[in-house]
């Protein structure tokens, strides 16, 4: 189990608030998000491409601004939990930057802290992301209902798990070889750390309604000659039914459904074997991408 601040329960502590992808070709990502994935776009600002994945005003941003880095926004559901985590980070000597009102308004959140995990991945810890009064509906019948989770590259997953659990307050759910699955709420995992020789965003998953939508999207992707990276398949640890595919600049997109819900009081992190069946027990194997190859040191 992770170590939590007083009053913080992993049952409802946080979710993925947004993903900001730094890119020199936002139009290419925008075309893929709109025309292939079927996400609704928003009027952009300063060349950014904005998209929705659920009721929130903006959850996916492709930004071309010079000097900007890809960042993951992790939304704490209670403002007091965010402040407790910020205090714990400060006590641990982790460098954090509290964003001012102008910066928070640009992110459409009430409060935010900027920091990095030990591998160098840029994180925004936020509270109260703005919702929209306009109903969310996709461009096509893709069944998307929200952001499920993100996959990050880690220079040392065994080391980094301490940061994500003891400092951020989340819970290690399972090991797949040296791949770490981390939960921030009752969903089996929201964060996946893949061993790598570099930090960075490997990809992210969107939730869809059911297995029918997984298969419907799979056929759509095949018809449009999109490269399938993994799946359709089922993850033994999380029970997620998934398909993952490649977008612009090699970014991995995923669609998942039926992910298990966890009772933290009755779950202990398991160690799955370092082989392909720990990633998919339907027999699907990932394409030749280093971070997707399960391994154990």
């Amino acid at each position: 189990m992770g170590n939590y601040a007083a009053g913080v329960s992993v049952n409802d502590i946080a979710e993925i608030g947004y993903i900001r992808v730094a890119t020199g070709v936002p139009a290419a990502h925008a075309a893929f998000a709109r025309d292939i994935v079927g996400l609704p776009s928003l009027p952009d600002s300063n060349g950014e491409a904005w998209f929705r994945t659920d009721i929130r005003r903006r959850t996916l941003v492709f930004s071309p601004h010079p000097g900007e880095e890809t960042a993951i926004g992790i939304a704490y559901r209670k403002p007091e939990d965010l402040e407790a985590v910020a205090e714990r980070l400060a006590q641990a000597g982790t460098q954090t930057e509290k964003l001012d009102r102008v910066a928070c308004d640009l992110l459409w959140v009430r409060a935010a802290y900027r920091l990095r995990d030990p591998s160098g991945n840029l994180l925004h810890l936020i509270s109260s992301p703005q919702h929209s009064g306009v109903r969310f509906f996709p461009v096509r019948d893709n069944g998307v209902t929200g952001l499920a989770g993100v996959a990050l590259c880690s220079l040392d997953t065994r080391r980094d798990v301490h940061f994500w659990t003891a400092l951020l307050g989340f819970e290690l759910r399972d090991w797949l070889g040296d791949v770490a699955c981390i939960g921030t709420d009752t969903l089996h995992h929201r964060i996946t750390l893949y061993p790598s020789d570099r930090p960075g965003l490997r990809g992210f998953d969107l939730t869809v309604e059911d297995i029918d939508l997984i298969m419907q999207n799979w056929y759509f992707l095949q018809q449009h000659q999109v490269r399938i990276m993994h799946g359709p398949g089922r993850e033994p640890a999380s029970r997620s039914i998934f398909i993952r595919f490649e977008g612009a600049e090699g970014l991995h997109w995923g669609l998942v459904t039926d992910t298990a819900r966890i009772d933290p009081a009755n779950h202990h992190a398991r160690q799955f074997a370092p082989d392909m069946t720990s990633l998919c027990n339907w027999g699907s194997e990932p394409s030749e991408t280093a971070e997707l190859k399960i391994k154990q040191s």
Side-chain angles (χ1 to χ4, degrees):
M1 297 291 184
N3 299 319
Y4 312 116
V8 176
S9 169
V10 76
N11 286 319
D12 62 358
I13 188 171
E15 61 185 341
I16 304 302
Y18 56 74
I19 301 168
R20 291 185 60 88
V21 178
T23 175
V25 288
H29 287 279
F32 189 86
R34 181 185 62 249
D35 301 335
I36 299 300
V37 183
L39 297 181
S41 61
L42 298 168
D44 61 11
S45 175
N46 297 324
E48 294 182 349
W50 297 349
F51 290 87
R52 297 178 66 194
T53 58
D54 49 51
I55 190 62
R56 288 169 294 185
R57 290 186 67 186
R58 181 182 64 182
T59 51
L60 185 57
V61 176
F62 300 102
S63 174
H65 301 316
E68 182 161 0
E69 299 178 61
T70 294
I72 308 301
I74 300 176
Y76 285 79
R77 292 193 170 100
K78 298 178 181 179
E80 57 268 30
D81 290 350
L82 172 61
E83 296 306 319
V85 168
E87 181 178 351
R88 185 161 65 244
L89 287 165
Q91 292 174 350
T94 302
Q95 184 175 357
T96 62
E97 175 189 359
K98 186 171 185 177
L99 301 187
D100 61 21
R101 182 73 267 142
V102 173
C104 288
D105 287 345
L106 290 174
L107 296 173
W108 294 359
V109 300
R110 179 65 60 86
Y113 291 84
R114 186 179 188 272
L115 69 156
R116 297 181 186 274
D117 75 357
S119 286
N121 293 302
L122 182 60
L123 307 176
H124 295 167
L125 306 184
I126 65 174
S127 68
S128 304
Q130 292 183 18
H131 286 209
S132 173
V134 178
R135 184 172 66 91
F136 167 76
F137 55 94
V139 173
R140 63 175 179 84
D141 184 21
N142 59 16
V144 169
T145 60
L147 282 176
V150 297
L152 298 175
C153 297
S154 168
L155 303 180
D156 185 338
T157 57
R158 299 279 169 173
R159 174 204 63 193
D160 290 357
V161 161
H162 175 79
F163 169 84
W164 289 91
T165 57
L167 296 184
L168 297 192
F170 304 145
E171 184 176 78
L172 172 66
R173 291 285 161 76
D174 285 311
W175 287 105
L176 316 177
D178 275 347
V179 176
C181 299
I182 296 171
T184 68
D185 58 7
T186 60
L187 203 68
H188 178 271
H189 64 276
R190 297 281 188 180
I191 312 290
T192 309
L193 302 179
Y194 284 94
S196 180
D197 59 1
R198 61 177 180 83
L201 174 66
R202 179 69 266 168
F204 55 89
D205 290 336
L206 306 175
T207 304
V208 298
E209 294 170 5
D210 53 35
I211 188 174
D212 290 343
L213 271 302
I214 293 287
M215 300 308 297
Q216 181 174 312
N217 279 286
W218 182 47
Y219 286 117
F220 181 91
L221 294 169
Q222 288 182 311
Q223 291 167 3
H224 289 77
Q225 300 183 323
V226 175
R227 184 186 182 195
I228 304 300
M229 305 301 295
H230 199 190
R234 183 188 281 275
E235 297 177 347
S238 69
R239 307 302 298 161
S240 294
I241 298 171
F242 69 88
I243 183 169
R244 296 192 173 95
F245 47 98
E246 187 177 55
E249 296 186 299
L251 182 64
H252 290 187
W253 294 68
L255 302 175
V256 300
T257 192
D258 291 353
T259 303
R261 293 284 176 177
I262 297 297
D263 176 4
N266 296 307
H267 180 82
H268 300 278
R270 300 164 292 182
Q271 176 68 65
F272 283 78
D275 60 46
M276 289 300 103
T277 61
S278 296
L279 292 181
C280 176
N281 58 11
W282 283 3
S284 172
E285 291 196 8
S287 62
E288 292 297 326
T289 303
E291 287 84 359
L292 284 176
K293 295 298 183 182
I294 193 168
K295 56 187 177 181
Q296 191 167 35
S297 57

